[in-house]
Structure formats: structure tokens, C-alpha cells
Amino acid sequence: MPIHRRLRSDSRHCLRLALPTLSLLLAPWPSYADFDPVKMAEHASVEDLTQWSADGFPTPSPDQTAQWLATLVGEPDPFLRDDIGFTGLSALLRRDAVTTDTLLALIDAFEARLSGPDPEGVAHSFATLCLAEVVRVDRIKPRFSDKQFERLITIAADTLAGITDYRGYSDDVGWRHAIAHASDLALQIVLNERTDAERLVTLRGALAKHFAPSTPYVHGEPTRLARPILYMAIRADMERTGWADWLDATVDQTLAQDRTDGGLSRRLARRHNLRAVIVELYAKARGSDRPDLADLAVASFEALQTIDRHPL
């Protein structure tokens, strides 16, 4: 299927999207043995890219290919951005195919993307998701210095702090999902044994700020937000970090917003979101046989009771 068939009918939008990708339709796809990521932009059709994906994104030049794929994370077309850009980069990173220098270049590129414009609301979100894959590489096999890893933690915390877009899926644009993707980045940092308890507590607070926005969560965000919290709770260095006090403060802060931002629809959304996240925490912690989740299970149950007793 030609790429232009995936574009919306608005002529200005189509022209803007088609200009950088129109040349993909002009020539036959080169063999994988001759693969050159620069030539890809001149030769690939949607069918070629789909086949390349089905074959597992083979390439004799993984470092160049990874950096080219990273440029697609801001594409408004979800096929290029998600199915090819992110999925291809993830495949290369998960088979440990790129050098440390390339990983560092990717961090630079994604950090720049996060600080740049994002008119479609997708570039920041997918840069964050790609960073999660970069952090995962270091979790599986350490590749970064302590200073470089600390930089990733700072990027993750700053990204969470800066999120104001709570949109999920759109039939036109595909996934935005900034909250879910930032939660995935936080998860990879939590799973890395190099992250100390102080940094974990900071990330926990940054995640909690998004437990109860006034935009209803309807695309699985509570599950993604809960996941890094649950993995924090099973770390030995987080066992005595006041789960009950933390959840009490989180609930109290949300309920206090009712007095200053009191529209019923906004209160309902906040209550729905907060309860959904805490239900996820309770269900997973209570359903586990791990004793290190017992404190979180009790704290989550008590937090749910507090929410249910509080009038709208």
C-alpha cells in the first residue's frame, strides 16, 4: 500500500507529510546485503518496509540504521513512526547490535527532540519510549558510565515533570501516550540495579503527580503507571520508604484539589484515575505471594477506603 494512502485527506497535511516520504515510492528496494539507511529514504515502499519489519529489520550497518530509524520518531504517519521507527530501533537495540557511541548519540538525539517543538504531540512521546529501550540496553549489559547513567535518570524525571498531554490513541495520528511511555522509561530505570533508593523515591514522586489528572484515562495508563511502582516495592532498598505515608499524601493531595478545581467532571475524572491506579497497585500486590509487596498491598487498600469515604 503506498504511503500516501495512509495520510489524511487534508491537502496541506498530506503535502507536508508526503514531501519527505514521496521518494520512497520511486524505485525498487535494494537487497539487504546492500542496505544503506540513507538510500532507504529513496527506495522503500510501504510493502518493502513491511517486509523488512517482518524479516526482523536485518542490516549490515546497524549503527547507521539505528540513527536513521531514530529520525522517524517525529513522523506524523504512525506507520513510519511506530511500526518502522520505534519497532525497528527496538529490534536493533534488543539484539545488542549497536555500539556504545551510537547509544550515546541516540540519547543526544532524543534529548534534543524532547526539548524541541512537537506540533502533532507524538515526537516527545516516542522519543521517551525510544529512550526506554536505550536504558534497557544498559540494564541487560552495563554500557554507560555512572555520569552517563545519571543523565538518563535526570532526563526521565524531567520528562515526567513536563508532561501535560494526556491524550492516548487517535485514529488519525495513532498513539501519543506520553504518560505510558514515560512510565516505561521509569520502569527501565527502576529495574536497573544501578539506581539508588534516593533516585527511586524521586521517580516515585514524579509518577504520582500523574495519578489523577482531570483528563480521564481510557488507554491503559493506570497499568503502566503502576508497573514501575510495583517493581520499586520489591527492591530491598525501598522496603522502608513509607508506602502508607506516600499513598496517604498522594490521595490527600488529589482530594484537596476538589476545593480549588471543583467542576464535577474534573473531580470525577481525577477520582476515576486515582482509584484506577491504586486498584492496579492493590490487585498486583495483594495477588502476589511476595512478602515484600505486603506493605504496599495494605497501604493501597487503606488508600482505596479513604477515596471511597470522601464525598464528590
Side-chain angles (χ1 to χ4, degrees):
M1 179 178 66
I3 285 178
H4 67 270
R5 289 184 59 187
R6 307 184 67 93
L7 305 179
R8 290 182 291 181
S9 59
D10 180 272
S11 59
R12 287 178 300 175
H13 182 83
C14 284
L15 181 61
R16 181 163 52 83
L17 295 188
L19 283 175
T21 57
L22 192 59
S23 59
L24 299 179
L25 308 174
L26 300 182
W29 171 257
S31 70
Y32 292 140
D34 299 326
F35 181 87
D36 181 332
V38 176
K39 292 179 181 178
M40 171 176 279
E42 300 172 355
H43 294 285
S45 68
V46 170
E47 289 84 354
D48 294 327
L49 292 171
T50 300
Q51 186 60 53
W52 185 45
S53 174
D55 292 341
F57 299 95
T59 170
S61 52
D63 290 296
Q64 286 180 286
T65 304
Q67 293 191 60
W68 179 77
L69 289 167
T71 67
L72 300 181
V73 302
E75 283 287 339
D77 179 16
F79 172 74
L80 292 174
R81 180 181 70 250
D82 197 341
D83 297 352
I84 302 302
F86 167 71
T87 304
L89 181 61
S90 176
L92 294 182
L93 296 181
R94 289 190 176 223
R95 63 176 181 252
D96 198 23
V98 304
T99 64
T100 299
D101 284 345
T102 295
L103 292 174
L104 294 173
L106 290 173
I107 294 171
D108 289 341
F110 294 136
E111 186 175 28
R113 178 77 73 172
L114 285 166
S115 63
D118 188 15
E120 297 290 340
V122 296
H124 291 177
S125 177
F126 273 82
T128 302
L129 187 60
C130 289
L131 276 172
E133 291 295 311
V134 172
V135 175
R136 182 185 181 277
V137 172
D138 185 80
R139 175 172 71 84
I140 302 301
K141 183 173 71 175
R143 303 280 289 274
F144 302 133
S145 69
D146 290 344
K147 183 177 180 179
Q148 290 163 345
F149 186 70
E150 181 70 23
R151 177 189 175 196
L152 286 166
I153 297 176
T154 300
I155 292 172
D158 290 347
T159 298
L160 278 163
I163 291 175
T164 58
D165 187 344
Y166 292 98
R167 291 173 293 180
Y169 184 78
S170 161
D171 288 334
D172 292 332
V173 179
W175 287 106
R176 292 179 175 95
H177 232 199
I179 286 296
H181 293 174
S183 298
D184 292 349
L185 174 56
L187 173 63
Q188 292 301 326
I189 291 173
V190 170
L191 292 172
N192 196 313
E193 295 179 355
R194 301 171 69 181
T195 310
D196 61 25
E198 180 181 356
R199 298 294 183 268
L200 293 175
V201 170
T202 298
L203 280 177
R204 183 175 68 175
L207 288 161
K209 290 180 179 178
H210 299 290
F211 280 11
S214 56
T215 300
Y217 283 144
V218 294
H219 295 108
E221 296 88 349
T223 299
R224 302 280 273 278
L225 279 163
R227 195 174 297 157
I229 302 296
L230 289 159
Y231 277 96
M232 284 183 198
I234 65 177
R235 287 191 42 153
D237 51 357
M238 288 288 284
E239 287 180 357
R240 298 290 179 263
T241 54
W243 288 103
D245 289 344
W246 169 68
L247 270 177
D248 285 347
T250 300
V251 171
D252 288 347
Q253 183 177 12
T254 299
L255 297 178
Q257 283 185 275
D258 289 352
R259 295 191 290 271
T260 59
D261 187 15
L264 180 58
S265 63
R266 297 172 71 82
R267 295 201 308 272
L268 286 168
R270 284 196 297 269
R271 198 72 59 89
H272 164 271
N273 293 337
L274 179 63
R275 201 176 193 287
V277 175
I278 297 178
V279 164
E280 284 286 333
L281 294 174
Y282 173 71
K284 297 298 194 302
R286 182 69 178 83
S288 171
D289 57 2
R290 296 187 63 109
D292 43 17
L293 286 175
D295 287 349
L296 181 57
V298 172
S300 300
F301 182 73
E302 292 175 350
L304 289 172
Q305 289 183 310
T306 300
I307 294 170
D308 290 344
R309 286 195 298 264
H310 197 277
L312 277 171

